Amino acid sequence: MNMRKQSLIHLDGRTVTLIDSGTDDHGQYLLVEHVIIQQGAMNGPHWHPVLQEKFTVKEGRMRFVIDGRETIVEQGGCITIHPNETHQFWNVSDNRLIALHEVRPPGQHWKMFEFIHKLECEGKLNKKGVPLNPLWLGVAWKCIDGYIVGPPRIVQTVFLGGLARLAEFLGYRI
């Protein structure tokens, strides 16, 4: 499964770099590096039924809220988010943040990073990073391998999953 190293450079200067992917003694994984220039939220609150994520802060500081518990991770520290834990994270560094992000199993996470980058570069996201077109929203939702906080899981599965199926039927591709 090893993918070739590549970087996605966003309009605001942040980068997501594919470091490694494959299988080891603990199963399949994806390892990416995030370099974030601006302070603030890096995502909205969400959860994954299967994925486990581990963040290691190489430079700067990250704030996490996991199942309502707030934690600050300093340079050299790490934190693991287990399946079904609701989480959100922020860059709270004085300067830039550099963090390694390990995802097990990788699911569609790299596709998600590539897809959101593509939509951003094409001007198809709002200021919060959400696709403007509901069909692209369905495709993006399918890539997160999880659920956003708020709408019940069944509503997301039916509505956003339905948008994803309609988008695919109409030829929308990642």
Side-chain angles (χ1 to χ4, degrees):
M1 178 205 245
N2 290 323
M3 296 179 190
R4 155 179 83 74
K5 186 173 178 176
Q6 58 183 330
S7 293
L8 306 171
I9 302 168
H10 290 266
L11 301 176
D12 66 1
R14 75 188 185 281
T15 63
V16 181
T17 301
L18 173 62
I19 300 297
D20 194 17
S21 66
T23 304
D24 62 14
D25 293 343
H26 303 287
Q28 292 183 322
Y29 67 92
L30 171 71
L31 182 63
V32 300
E33 179 182 76
H34 300 274
V35 177
I36 310 295
I37 308 296
Q38 299 178 355
Q39 289 187 341
M42 295 169 63
N43 58 12
H46 64 285
W47 58 279
H48 309 281
V50 176
L51 302 182
Q52 175 175 292
E53 297 177 276
K54 178 180 176 182
F55 289 87
T56 303
V57 177
K58 293 172 61 177
E59 182 181 317
R61 298 177 335 142
M62 285 182 81
R63 174 180 172 239
F64 292 84
V65 174
I66 303 170
D67 281 348
R69 296 179 312 275
E70 182 176 339
T71 303
I72 302 291
V73 179
E74 304 275 344
Q75 181 173 329
C78 65
I79 192 166
T80 300
I81 302 162
H82 299 281
N84 297 311
E85 289 183 328
T86 298
H87 57 283
Q88 183 175 11
F89 38 91
W90 294 258
N91 174 17
V92 293
S93 306
D94 292 331
N95 295 304
R96 72 179 180 175
L97 167 72
I98 302 176
L100 290 177
H101 180 194
E102 179 183 280
V103 184
R104 290 181 181 267
Q108 298 205 41
H109 254 60
W110 184 249
K111 276 187 179 178
M112 175 195 62
F113 291 132
E114 288 181 312
F115 181 59
I116 294 301
H117 178 259
K118 174 184 182 288
L119 291 181
E120 178 187 285
C121 289
E122 294 174 356
K124 295 179 179 177
L125 300 178
N126 68 19
K127 289 181 183 181
K128 292 186 176 185
V130 177
L132 296 166
N133 179 327
L135 294 172
W136 284 130
L137 177 63
V139 174
W141 174 83
K142 188 175 178 181
C143 290
I144 70 169
D145 295 313
Y147 300 90
I148 57 176
V149 171
R153 181 177 179 168
I154 187 69
V155 171
Q156 292 181 59
T157 301
V158 170
F159 180 70
L160 295 173
L163 284 174
R165 287 187 296 280
L166 179 60
E168 185 176 344
F169 175 77
L170 295 173
Y172 285 67
R173 300 283 183 264
I174 293 178

